[in-house]
Each structure stands twice: as C-alpha cells, then as structure tokens.
PDB file of all heavy atoms in Angstrom:
ATOM      1  N   ARG A  44     101.054 173.950  95.521  1.00 95.00           N
ATOM      2  CA  ARG A  44     100.354 174.761  96.509  1.00 95.00           C
ATOM      3  C   ARG A  44      99.093 175.475  96.026  1.00 95.00           C
ATOM      4  O   ARG A  44      98.393 176.092  96.827  1.00 95.00           O
ATOM      5  CB  ARG A  44     101.320 175.816  97.069  1.00 95.00           C
ATOM      6  CG  ARG A  44     102.498 175.209  97.822  1.00 95.00           C
ATOM      7  CD  ARG A  44     103.483 176.289  98.248  1.00 95.00           C
ATOM      8  NE  ARG A  44     104.610 175.731  98.988  1.00 95.00           N
ATOM      9  CZ  ARG A  44     104.653 175.598 100.300  1.00 95.00           C
ATOM     10  NH1 ARG A  44     103.627 175.984 101.030  1.00 95.00           N
ATOM     11  NH2 ARG A  44     105.711 175.081 100.903  1.00 95.00           N
ATOM     12  N   SER A  45      98.784 175.437  94.751  1.00 96.00           N
ATOM     13  CA  SER A  45      97.677 176.249  94.233  1.00 96.00           C
ATOM     14  C   SER A  45      96.330 175.912  94.866  1.00 96.00           C
ATOM     15  O   SER A  45      96.036 174.749  95.165  1.00 96.00           O
ATOM     16  CB  SER A  45      97.555 176.075  92.720  1.00 96.00           C
ATOM     17  OG  SER A  45      96.422 176.781  92.233  1.00 96.00           O
ATOM     18  N   ARG A  46      95.495 176.946  95.017  1.00 95.00           N
ATOM     19  CA  ARG A  46      94.119 176.747  95.480  1.00 95.00           C
ATOM     20  C   ARG A  46      93.286 176.021  94.425  1.00 95.00           C
ATOM     21  O   ARG A  46      92.227 175.463  94.741  1.00 95.00           O
ATOM     22  CB  ARG A  46      93.472 178.092  95.829  1.00 95.00           C
ATOM     23  CG  ARG A  46      94.213 178.860  96.901  1.00 95.00           C
ATOM     24  CD  ARG A  46      93.413 180.030  97.444  1.00 95.00           C
ATOM     25  NE  ARG A  46      93.079 181.027  96.438  1.00 95.00           N
ATOM     26  CZ  ARG A  46      92.403 182.149  96.713  1.00 95.00           C
ATOM     27  NH1 ARG A  46      92.013 182.399  97.948  1.00 95.00           N
ATOM     28  NH2 ARG A  46      92.133 183.021  95.764  1.00 95.00           N
ATOM     29  N   ASP A  47      93.724 176.053  93.169  1.00 97.00           N
ATOM     30  CA  ASP A  47      92.976 175.364  92.112  1.00 97.00           C
ATOM     31  C   ASP A  47      92.847 173.864  92.374  1.00 97.00           C
ATOM     32  O   ASP A  47      91.915 173.216  91.881  1.00 97.00           O
ATOM     33  CB  ASP A  47      93.660 175.563  90.755  1.00 97.00           C
ATOM     34  CG  ASP A  47      93.263 176.866  90.087  1.00 97.00           C
ATOM     35  OD1 ASP A  47      92.397 177.571  90.625  1.00 97.00           O
ATOM     36  OD2 ASP A  47      93.823 177.172  89.015  1.00 97.00           O
ATOM     37  N   HIS A  48      93.782 173.285  93.131  1.00 97.00           N
ATOM     38  CA  HIS A  48      93.783 171.836  93.327  1.00 97.00           C
ATOM     39  C   HIS A  48      92.503 171.345  93.996  1.00 97.00           C
ATOM     40  O   HIS A  48      92.022 170.241  93.708  1.00 97.00           O
ATOM     41  CB  HIS A  48      94.997 171.409  94.157  1.00 97.00           C
ATOM     42  CG  HIS A  48      96.297 171.608  93.452  1.00 97.00           C
ATOM     43  ND1 HIS A  48      96.547 171.129  92.187  1.00 97.00           N
ATOM     44  CD2 HIS A  48      97.433 172.268  93.838  1.00 97.00           C
ATOM     45  CE1 HIS A  48      97.780 171.462  91.826  1.00 97.00           C
ATOM     46  NE2 HIS A  48      98.339 172.151  92.807  1.00 97.00           N
ATOM     47  N   THR A  49      91.964 172.141  94.930  1.00 97.00           N
ATOM     48  CA  THR A  49      90.727 171.708  95.577  1.00 97.00           C
ATOM     49  C   THR A  49      89.489 172.273  94.879  1.00 97.00           C
ATOM     50  O   THR A  49      88.375 172.077  95.349  1.00 97.00           O
ATOM     51  CB  THR A  49      90.714 172.136  97.064  1.00 97.00           C
ATOM     52  OG1 THR A  49      91.182 173.481  97.183  1.00 97.00           O
ATOM     53  CG2 THR A  49      91.563 171.212  97.899  1.00 97.00           C
ATOM     54  N   ARG A  50      89.700 172.956  93.755  1.00 97.00           N
ATOM     55  CA  ARG A  50      88.582 173.541  93.022  1.00 97.00           C
ATOM     56  C   ARG A  50      88.290 172.801  91.722  1.00 97.00           C
ATOM     57  O   ARG A  50      87.387 173.180  90.979  1.00 97.00           O
ATOM     58  CB  ARG A  50      88.870 175.024  92.755  1.00 97.00           C
ATOM     59  CG  ARG A  50      89.052 175.805  94.049  1.00 97.00           C
ATOM     60  CD  ARG A  50      89.400 177.264  93.837  1.00 97.00           C
ATOM     61  NE  ARG A  50      89.596 177.935  95.133  1.00 97.00           N
ATOM     62  CZ  ARG A  50      89.751 179.244  95.283  1.00 97.00           C
ATOM     63  NH1 ARG A  50      89.749 180.036  94.226  1.00 97.00           N
ATOM     64  NH2 ARG A  50      89.917 179.755  96.486  1.00 97.00           N
ATOM     65  N   THR A  51      89.081 171.758  91.425  1.00 98.00           N
ATOM     66  CA  THR A  51      88.758 170.954  90.248  1.00 98.00           C
ATOM     67  C   THR A  51      87.439 170.227  90.487  1.00 98.00           C
ATOM     68  O   THR A  51      87.058 169.963  91.625  1.00 98.00           O
ATOM     69  CB  THR A  51      89.871 169.933  89.947  1.00 98.00           C
ATOM     70  OG1 THR A  51      90.024 169.061  91.082  1.00 98.00           O
ATOM     71  CG2 THR A  51      91.195 170.620  89.641  1.00 98.00           C
ATOM     72  N   PRO A  52      86.704 169.919  89.418  1.00 98.00           N
ATOM     73  CA  PRO A  52      85.381 169.310  89.582  1.00 98.00           C
ATOM     74  C   PRO A  52      85.396 168.007  90.391  1.00 98.00           C
ATOM     75  O   PRO A  52      86.328 167.200  90.294  1.00 98.00           O
ATOM     76  CB  PRO A  52      84.931 169.057  88.139  1.00 98.00           C
ATOM     77  CG  PRO A  52      85.611 170.150  87.361  1.00 98.00           C
ATOM     78  CD  PRO A  52      86.967 170.286  88.010  1.00 98.00           C
ATOM     79  N   MET A  53      84.343 167.839  91.164  1.00 98.00           N
ATOM     80  CA  MET A  53      84.143 166.614  91.945  1.00 98.00           C
ATOM     81  C   MET A  53      84.093 165.416  91.006  1.00 98.00           C
ATOM     82  O   MET A  53      83.476 165.464  89.928  1.00 98.00           O
ATOM     83  CB  MET A  53      82.832 166.742  92.727  1.00 98.00           C
ATOM     84  CG  MET A  53      82.485 165.564  93.579  1.00 98.00           C
ATOM     85  SD  MET A  53      83.551 165.459  95.035  1.00 98.00           S
ATOM     86  CE  MET A  53      82.821 164.013  95.838  1.00 98.00           C
ATOM     87  N   GLN A  54      84.757 164.334  91.427  1.00 98.00           N
ATOM     88  CA  GLN A  54      84.888 163.143  90.579  1.00 98.00           C
ATOM     89  C   GLN A  54      83.852 162.094  90.978  1.00 98.00           C
ATOM     90  O   GLN A  54      84.053 161.315  91.905  1.00 98.00           O
ATOM     91  CB  GLN A  54      86.327 162.624  90.675  1.00 98.00           C
ATOM     92  CG  GLN A  54      87.315 163.625  90.085  1.00 98.00           C
ATOM     93  CD  GLN A  54      88.767 163.395  90.432  1.00 98.00           C
ATOM     94  OE1 GLN A  54      89.555 164.340  90.483  1.00 98.00           O
ATOM     95  NE2 GLN A  54      89.156 162.150  90.676  1.00 98.00           N
ATOM     96  N   TRP A  55      82.733 162.095  90.239  1.00 98.00           N
ATOM     97  CA  TRP A  55      81.610 161.222  90.584  1.00 98.00           C
ATOM     98  C   TRP A  55      81.717 159.838  89.954  1.00 98.00           C
ATOM     99  O   TRP A  55      81.342 158.836  90.571  1.00 98.00           O
ATOM    100  CB  TRP A  55      80.292 161.877  90.166  1.00 98.00           C
ATOM    101  CG  TRP A  55      79.999 163.129  90.922  1.00 98.00           C
ATOM    102  CD1 TRP A  55      80.120 164.417  90.494  1.00 98.00           C
ATOM    103  CD2 TRP A  55      79.558 163.209  92.291  1.00 98.00           C
ATOM    104  NE1 TRP A  55      79.782 165.299  91.492  1.00 98.00           N
ATOM    105  CE2 TRP A  55      79.431 164.592  92.608  1.00 98.00           C
ATOM    106  CE3 TRP A  55      79.256 162.270  93.271  1.00 98.00           C
ATOM    107  CZ2 TRP A  55      79.013 165.041  93.858  1.00 98.00           C
ATOM    108  CZ3 TRP A  55      78.849 162.708  94.514  1.00 98.00           C
ATOM    109  CH2 TRP A  55      78.724 164.073  94.806  1.00 98.00           C
ATOM    110  N   ASN A  56      82.223 159.765  88.713  1.00 98.00           N
ATOM    111  CA  ASN A  56      82.335 158.466  88.035  1.00 98.00           C
ATOM    112  C   ASN A  56      83.390 158.564  86.938  1.00 98.00           C
ATOM    113  O   ASN A  56      84.101 159.574  86.839  1.00 98.00           O
ATOM    114  CB  ASN A  56      80.976 158.016  87.470  1.00 98.00           C
ATOM    115  CG  ASN A  56      80.356 159.062  86.549  1.00 98.00           C
ATOM    116  OD1 ASN A  56      81.037 159.659  85.716  1.00 98.00           O
ATOM    117  ND2 ASN A  56      79.053 159.296  86.705  1.00 98.00           N
ATOM    118  N   ASP A  57      83.499 157.525  86.105  1.00 98.00           N
ATOM    119  CA  ASP A  57      84.543 157.507  85.078  1.00 98.00           C
ATOM    120  C   ASP A  57      84.024 157.941  83.714  1.00 98.00           C
ATOM    121  O   ASP A  57      84.698 157.752  82.694  1.00 98.00           O
ATOM    122  CB  ASP A  57      85.185 156.123  84.994  1.00 98.00           C
ATOM    123  CG  ASP A  57      84.189 155.027  84.598  1.00 98.00           C
ATOM    124  OD1 ASP A  57      82.988 155.342  84.400  1.00 98.00           O
ATOM    125  OD2 ASP A  57      84.606 153.862  84.485  1.00 98.00           O
ATOM    126  N   GLU A  58      82.831 158.529  83.661  1.00 97.00           N
ATOM    127  CA  GLU A  58      82.317 159.074  82.407  1.00 97.00           C
ATOM    128  C   GLU A  58      83.075 160.356  82.063  1.00 97.00           C
ATOM    129  O   GLU A  58      83.767 160.931  82.915  1.00 97.00           O
ATOM    130  CB  GLU A  58      80.819 159.355  82.535  1.00 97.00           C
ATOM    131  CG  GLU A  58      79.981 158.108  82.762  1.00 97.00           C
ATOM    132  CD  GLU A  58      78.519 158.431  83.065  1.00 97.00           C
ATOM    133  OE1 GLU A  58      78.140 159.624  82.964  1.00 97.00           O
ATOM    134  OE2 GLU A  58      77.774 157.501  83.412  1.00 97.00           O
ATOM    135  N   PRO A  59      82.961 160.840  80.820  1.00 94.00           N
ATOM    136  CA  PRO A  59      83.645 162.089  80.465  1.00 94.00           C
ATOM    137  C   PRO A  59      83.310 163.202  81.452  1.00 94.00           C
ATOM    138  O   PRO A  59      82.164 163.346  81.877  1.00 94.00           O
ATOM    139  CB  PRO A  59      83.099 162.391  79.062  1.00 94.00           C
ATOM    140  CG  PRO A  59      82.756 161.047  78.498  1.00 94.00           C
ATOM    141  CD  PRO A  59      82.258 160.245  79.662  1.00 94.00           C
ATOM    142  N   TYR A  60      84.328 163.968  81.820  1.00 98.00           N
ATOM    143  CA  TYR A  60      84.215 165.058  82.787  1.00 98.00           C
ATOM    144  C   TYR A  60      83.806 164.564  84.172  1.00 98.00           C
ATOM    145  O   TYR A  60      83.228 165.292  84.973  1.00 98.00           O
ATOM    146  CB  TYR A  60      83.266 166.149  82.290  1.00 98.00           C
ATOM    147  CG  TYR A  60      83.564 166.592  80.877  1.00 98.00           C
ATOM    148  CD1 TYR A  60      82.599 166.507  79.877  1.00 98.00           C
ATOM    149  CD2 TYR A  60      84.833 167.075  80.540  1.00 98.00           C
ATOM    150  CE1 TYR A  60      82.889 166.890  78.574  1.00 98.00           C
ATOM    151  CE2 TYR A  60      85.122 167.465  79.239  1.00 98.00           C
ATOM    152  CZ  TYR A  60      84.150 167.368  78.258  1.00 98.00           C
ATOM    153  OH  TYR A  60      84.440 167.751  76.965  1.00 98.00           O
ATOM    154  N   ALA A  61      84.121 163.300  84.455  1.00 98.00           N
ATOM    155  CA  ALA A  61      83.980 162.714  85.793  1.00 98.00           C
ATOM    156  C   ALA A  61      82.548 162.719  86.315  1.00 98.00           C
ATOM    157  O   ALA A  61      82.323 162.632  87.519  1.00 98.00           O
ATOM    158  CB  ALA A  61      84.897 163.436  86.786  1.00 98.00           C
ATOM    159  N   GLY A  62      81.552 162.812  85.412  1.00 98.00           N
ATOM    160  CA  GLY A  62      80.164 162.822  85.855  1.00 98.00           C
ATOM    161  C   GLY A  62      79.750 164.140  86.483  1.00 98.00           C
ATOM    162  O   GLY A  62      78.608 164.291  86.920  1.00 98.00           O
ATOM    163  N   PHE A  63      80.676 165.112  86.524  1.00 98.00           N
ATOM    164  CA  PHE A  63      80.345 166.434  87.059  1.00 98.00           C
ATOM    165  C   PHE A  63      79.404 167.169  86.102  1.00 98.00           C
ATOM    166  O   PHE A  63      78.467 167.848  86.522  1.00 98.00           O
ATOM    167  CB  PHE A  63      81.633 167.242  87.257  1.00 98.00           C
ATOM    168  CG  PHE A  63      81.422 168.723  87.417  1.00 98.00           C
ATOM    169  CD1 PHE A  63      80.958 169.239  88.616  1.00 98.00           C
ATOM    170  CD2 PHE A  63      81.678 169.598  86.363  1.00 98.00           C
ATOM    171  CE1 PHE A  63      80.739 170.605  88.769  1.00 98.00           C
ATOM    172  CE2 PHE A  63      81.472 170.969  86.507  1.00 98.00           C
ATOM    173  CZ  PHE A  63      81.002 171.468  87.710  1.00 98.00           C
ATOM    174  N   SER A  64      79.656 167.037  84.810  1.00 98.00           N
ATOM    175  CA  SER A  64      78.874 167.711  83.782  1.00 98.00           C
ATOM    176  C   SER A  64      78.978 166.902  82.499  1.00 98.00           C
ATOM    177  O   SER A  64      79.824 166.008  82.383  1.00 98.00           O
ATOM    178  CB  SER A  64      79.418 169.129  83.558  1.00 98.00           C
ATOM    179  OG  SER A  64      78.716 169.804  82.543  1.00 98.00           O
ATOM    180  N   ARG A  65      78.118 167.243  81.525  1.00 97.00           N
ATOM    181  CA  ARG A  65      78.222 166.601  80.215  1.00 97.00           C
ATOM    182  C   ARG A  65      78.921 167.495  79.203  1.00 97.00           C
ATOM    183  O   ARG A  65      79.018 167.149  78.028  1.00 97.00           O
ATOM    184  CB  ARG A  65      76.826 166.204  79.707  1.00 97.00           C
ATOM    185  CG  ARG A  65      76.235 165.019  80.469  1.00 97.00           C
ATOM    186  CD  ARG A  65      74.929 164.548  79.902  1.00 97.00           C
ATOM    187  NE  ARG A  65      73.860 165.516  80.154  1.00 97.00           N
ATOM    188  CZ  ARG A  65      72.566 165.279  79.924  1.00 97.00           C
ATOM    189  NH1 ARG A  65      72.190 164.108  79.418  1.00 97.00           N
ATOM    190  NH2 ARG A  65      71.657 166.200  80.164  1.00 97.00           N
ATOM    191  N   VAL A  66      79.397 168.657  79.671  1.00 98.00           N
ATOM    192  CA  VAL A  66      80.183 169.554  78.824  1.00 98.00           C
ATOM    193  C   VAL A  66      81.482 169.891  79.542  1.00 98.00           C
ATOM    194  O   VAL A  66      81.647 169.602  80.725  1.00 98.00           O
ATOM    195  CB  VAL A  66      79.402 170.857  78.507  1.00 98.00           C
ATOM    196  CG1 VAL A  66      78.083 170.541  77.814  1.00 98.00           C
ATOM    197  CG2 VAL A  66      79.148 171.671  79.775  1.00 98.00           C
ATOM    198  N   ARG A  67      82.393 170.529  78.817  1.00 98.00           N
ATOM    199  CA  ARG A  67      83.692 170.865  79.389  1.00 98.00           C
ATOM    200  C   ARG A  67      83.511 171.788  80.602  1.00 98.00           C
ATOM    201  O   ARG A  67      82.910 172.859  80.487  1.00 98.00           O
ATOM    202  CB  ARG A  67      84.573 171.540  78.343  1.00 98.00           C
ATOM    203  CG  ARG A  67      86.003 171.817  78.814  1.00 98.00           C
ATOM    204  CD  ARG A  67      86.791 172.544  77.751  1.00 98.00           C
ATOM    205  NE  ARG A  67      86.859 171.758  76.532  1.00 98.00           N
ATOM    206  CZ  ARG A  67      87.733 170.780  76.296  1.00 98.00           C
ATOM    207  NH1 ARG A  67      88.621 170.473  77.227  1.00 98.00           N
ATOM    208  NH2 ARG A  67      87.727 170.117  75.158  1.00 98.00           N
ATOM    209  N   PRO A  68      84.019 171.408  81.772  1.00 98.00           N
ATOM    210  CA  PRO A  68      83.838 172.232  82.969  1.00 98.00           C
ATOM    211  C   PRO A  68      84.665 173.523  82.924  1.00 98.00           C
ATOM    212  O   PRO A  68      85.618 173.643  82.150  1.00 98.00           O
ATOM    213  CB  PRO A  68      84.322 171.331  84.108  1.00 98.00           C
ATOM    214  CG  PRO A  68      84.388 169.956  83.533  1.00 98.00           C
ATOM    215  CD  PRO A  68      84.677 170.134  82.081  1.00 98.00           C
ATOM    216  N   TRP A  69      84.322 174.435  83.818  1.00 97.00           N
ATOM    217  CA  TRP A  69      85.018 175.722  83.908  1.00 97.00           C
ATOM    218  C   TRP A  69      86.485 175.566  84.270  1.00 97.00           C
ATOM    219  O   TRP A  69      87.326 176.377  83.900  1.00 97.00           O
ATOM    220  CB  TRP A  69      84.321 176.622  84.938  1.00 97.00           C
ATOM    221  CG  TRP A  69      84.537 176.192  86.365  1.00 97.00           C
ATOM    222  CD1 TRP A  69      83.858 175.211  87.028  1.00 97.00           C
ATOM    223  CD2 TRP A  69      85.494 176.721  87.286  1.00 97.00           C
ATOM    224  NE1 TRP A  69      84.340 175.085  88.320  1.00 97.00           N
ATOM    225  CE2 TRP A  69      85.340 176.011  88.509  1.00 97.00           C
ATOM    226  CE3 TRP A  69      86.446 177.726  87.226  1.00 97.00           C
ATOM    227  CZ2 TRP A  69      86.110 176.265  89.632  1.00 97.00           C
ATOM    228  CZ3 TRP A  69      87.235 177.992  88.352  1.00 97.00           C
ATOM    229  CH2 TRP A  69      87.050 177.263  89.535  1.00 97.00           C
ATOM    230  N   LEU A  70      86.820 174.474  84.977  1.00 97.00           N
ATOM    231  CA  LEU A  70      88.190 174.152  85.340  1.00 97.00           C
ATOM    232  C   LEU A  70      88.413 172.683  84.984  1.00 97.00           C
ATOM    233  O   LEU A  70      87.554 171.845  85.279  1.00 97.00           O
ATOM    234  CB  LEU A  70      88.407 174.380  86.848  1.00 97.00           C
ATOM    235  CG  LEU A  70      89.835 174.480  87.373  1.00 97.00           C
ATOM    236  CD1 LEU A  70      90.546 175.696  86.791  1.00 97.00           C
ATOM    237  CD2 LEU A  70      89.842 174.574  88.906  1.00 97.00           C
ATOM    238  N   PRO A  71      89.521 172.342  84.315  1.00 96.00           N
ATOM    239  CA  PRO A  71      89.695 170.959  83.879  1.00 96.00           C
ATOM    240  C   PRO A  71      89.650 169.940  85.016  1.00 96.00           C
ATOM    241  O   PRO A  71      90.113 170.208  86.126  1.00 96.00           O
ATOM    242  CB  PRO A  71      91.085 170.978  83.225  1.00 96.00           C
ATOM    243  CG  PRO A  71      91.291 172.398  82.804  1.00 96.00           C
ATOM    244  CD  PRO A  71      90.614 173.227  83.865  1.00 96.00           C
ATOM    245  N   VAL A  72      89.105 168.787  84.718  1.00 97.00           N
ATOM    246  CA  VAL A  72      89.021 167.689  85.673  1.00 97.00           C
ATOM    247  C   VAL A  72      90.401 167.052  85.843  1.00 97.00           C
ATOM    248  O   VAL A  72      91.200 167.012  84.905  1.00 97.00           O
ATOM    249  CB  VAL A  72      88.017 166.628  85.158  1.00 97.00           C
ATOM    250  CG1 VAL A  72      87.976 165.415  86.081  1.00 97.00           C
ATOM    251  CG2 VAL A  72      86.633 167.233  85.024  1.00 97.00           C
ATOM    252  N   ASN A  73      90.682 166.564  87.045  1.00 97.00           N
ATOM    253  CA  ASN A  73      91.913 165.820  87.277  1.00 97.00           C
ATOM    254  C   ASN A  73      91.894 164.554  86.410  1.00 97.00           C
ATOM    255  O   ASN A  73      90.919 163.794  86.447  1.00 97.00           O
ATOM    256  CB  ASN A  73      92.011 165.442  88.764  1.00 97.00           C
ATOM    257  CG  ASN A  73      93.383 164.921  89.139  1.00 97.00           C
ATOM    258  OD1 ASN A  73      94.009 164.169  88.407  1.00 97.00           O
ATOM    259  ND2 ASN A  73      93.860 165.329  90.301  1.00 97.00           N
ATOM    260  N   PRO A  74      92.950 164.293  85.626  1.00 97.00           N
ATOM    261  CA  PRO A  74      92.949 163.121  84.739  1.00 97.00           C
ATOM    262  C   PRO A  74      92.777 161.786  85.461  1.00 97.00           C
ATOM    263  O   PRO A  74      92.418 160.787  84.818  1.00 97.00           O
ATOM    264  CB  PRO A  74      94.327 163.204  84.057  1.00 97.00           C
ATOM    265  CG  PRO A  74      94.724 164.643  84.151  1.00 97.00           C
ATOM    266  CD  PRO A  74      94.154 165.123  85.456  1.00 97.00           C
ATOM    267  N   ASN A  75      93.014 161.736  86.777  1.00 97.00           N
ATOM    268  CA  ASN A  75      92.892 160.454  87.479  1.00 97.00           C
ATOM    269  C   ASN A  75      91.447 160.081  87.793  1.00 97.00           C
ATOM    270  O   ASN A  75      91.189 159.087  88.479  1.00 97.00           O
ATOM    271  CB  ASN A  75      93.743 160.429  88.751  1.00 97.00           C
ATOM    272  CG  ASN A  75      93.268 161.407  89.825  1.00 97.00           C
ATOM    273  OD1 ASN A  75      92.173 161.970  89.735  1.00 97.00           O
ATOM    274  ND2 ASN A  75      94.083 161.601  90.849  1.00 97.00           N
ATOM    275  N   TYR A  76      90.478 160.865  87.290  1.00 98.00           N
ATOM    276  CA  TYR A  76      89.067 160.582  87.575  1.00 98.00           C
ATOM    277  C   TYR A  76      88.627 159.219  87.058  1.00 98.00           C
ATOM    278  O   TYR A  76      87.639 158.645  87.544  1.00 98.00           O
ATOM    279  CB  TYR A  76      88.171 161.673  86.975  1.00 98.00           C
ATOM    280  CG  TYR A  76      87.965 161.560  85.478  1.00 98.00           C
ATOM    281  CD1 TYR A  76      86.922 160.786  84.955  1.00 98.00           C
ATOM    282  CD2 TYR A  76      88.807 162.204  84.580  1.00 98.00           C
ATOM    283  CE1 TYR A  76      86.734 160.674  83.579  1.00 98.00           C
ATOM    284  CE2 TYR A  76      88.625 162.094  83.212  1.00 98.00           C
ATOM    285  CZ  TYR A  76      87.587 161.323  82.718  1.00 98.00           C
ATOM    286  OH  TYR A  76      87.399 161.206  81.361  1.00 98.00           O
ATOM    287  N   ASP A  77      89.354 158.666  86.062  1.00 97.00           N
ATOM    288  CA  ASP A  77      88.908 157.405  85.484  1.00 97.00           C
ATOM    289  C   ASP A  77      89.004 156.244  86.472  1.00 97.00           C
ATOM    290  O   ASP A  77      88.317 155.227  86.315  1.00 97.00           O
ATOM    291  CB  ASP A  77      89.688 157.078  84.205  1.00 97.00           C
ATOM    292  CG  ASP A  77      91.192 156.995  84.428  1.00 97.00           C
ATOM    293  OD1 ASP A  77      91.676 157.448  85.487  1.00 97.00           O
ATOM    294  OD2 ASP A  77      91.887 156.482  83.531  1.00 97.00           O
ATOM    295  N   TRP A  78      89.840 156.403  87.511  1.00 98.00           N
ATOM    296  CA  TRP A  78      89.904 155.349  88.539  1.00 98.00           C
ATOM    297  C   TRP A  78      89.592 155.875  89.943  1.00 98.00           C
ATOM    298  O   TRP A  78      89.180 155.123  90.820  1.00 98.00           O
ATOM    299  CB  TRP A  78      91.274 154.666  88.546  1.00 98.00           C
ATOM    300  CG  TRP A  78      92.426 155.579  88.859  1.00 98.00           C
ATOM    301  CD1 TRP A  78      93.171 156.293  87.988  1.00 98.00           C
ATOM    302  CD2 TRP A  78      92.958 155.887  90.166  1.00 98.00           C
ATOM    303  NE1 TRP A  78      94.138 157.034  88.643  1.00 98.00           N
ATOM    304  CE2 TRP A  78      94.032 156.797  89.982  1.00 98.00           C
ATOM    305  CE3 TRP A  78      92.639 155.475  91.457  1.00 98.00           C
ATOM    306  CZ2 TRP A  78      94.781 157.310  91.047  1.00 98.00           C
ATOM    307  CZ3 TRP A  78      93.380 155.983  92.519  1.00 98.00           C
ATOM    308  CH2 TRP A  78      94.431 156.875  92.316  1.00 98.00           C
ATOM    309  N   LEU A  79      89.775 157.189  90.154  1.00 98.00           N
ATOM    310  CA  LEU A  79      89.519 157.761  91.472  1.00 98.00           C
ATOM    311  C   LEU A  79      88.201 158.534  91.399  1.00 98.00           C
ATOM    312  O   LEU A  79      88.153 159.679  90.952  1.00 98.00           O
ATOM    313  CB  LEU A  79      90.670 158.708  91.874  1.00 98.00           C
ATOM    314  CG  LEU A  79      90.860 158.997  93.369  1.00 98.00           C
ATOM    315  CD1 LEU A  79      92.180 159.719  93.608  1.00 98.00           C
ATOM    316  CD2 LEU A  79      89.722 159.785  93.971  1.00 98.00           C
ATOM    317  N   ASN A  80      87.130 157.870  91.815  1.00 98.00           N
ATOM    318  CA  ASN A  80      85.812 158.504  91.746  1.00 98.00           C
ATOM    319  C   ASN A  80      84.851 157.849  92.742  1.00 98.00           C
ATOM    320  O   ASN A  80      85.129 156.764  93.272  1.00 98.00           O
ATOM    321  CB  ASN A  80      85.245 158.461  90.326  1.00 98.00           C
ATOM    322  CG  ASN A  80      85.090 157.050  89.789  1.00 98.00           C
ATOM    323  OD1 ASN A  80      84.239 156.292  90.252  1.00 98.00           O
ATOM    324  ND2 ASN A  80      85.911 156.684  88.806  1.00 98.00           N
ATOM    325  N   VAL A  81      83.755 158.509  92.993  1.00 98.00           N
ATOM    326  CA  VAL A  81      82.769 158.029  93.974  1.00 98.00           C
ATOM    327  C   VAL A  81      82.204 156.673  93.572  1.00 98.00           C
ATOM    328  O   VAL A  81      82.109 155.753  94.401  1.00 98.00           O
ATOM    329  CB  VAL A  81      81.631 159.063  94.140  1.00 98.00           C
ATOM    330  CG1 VAL A  81      80.491 158.467  94.984  1.00 98.00           C
ATOM    331  CG2 VAL A  81      82.146 160.344  94.780  1.00 98.00           C
TER     332      VAL A  81
END
C-alpha cells in the first residue's frame, strides 16, 4: 500500500538507474526496469 510505489523513478530504458539519471536516484528504481521500460 505504500505511496512510495508510485514515486520510484520513471523507467525509461534498461540502462543503469532506468535512464532516469546517471547517478543513484533519491529513491531506488524498481528492479524490473531491465525489461519494463519505455
């Protein structure tokens, strides 16, 4: 139920940190970003 679930970084691609950033984001990326991404 946590609100954090919709606050994880947007998953743009399968690069590190899902293409959201090139550094560690403020909130960890969902590990499924490697296949679930734009």
Side-chain angles (χ1 to χ4, degrees):
R44 296 175 179 269
S45 176
R46 301 192 299 181
D47 276 355
H48 293 308
T49 44
R50 300 177 182 188
T51 60
M53 180 72 178
Q54 295 165 209
W55 295 104
N56 55 43
D57 62 359
E58 296 173 7
Y60 311 122
F63 163 77
S64 178
R65 288 185 290 189
V66 302
R67 185 183 300 277
W69 72 279
L70 197 64
V72 176
N73 192 319
N75 66 12
Y76 77 88
D77 58 346
W78 61 270
L79 202 169
N80 59 70
V81 171

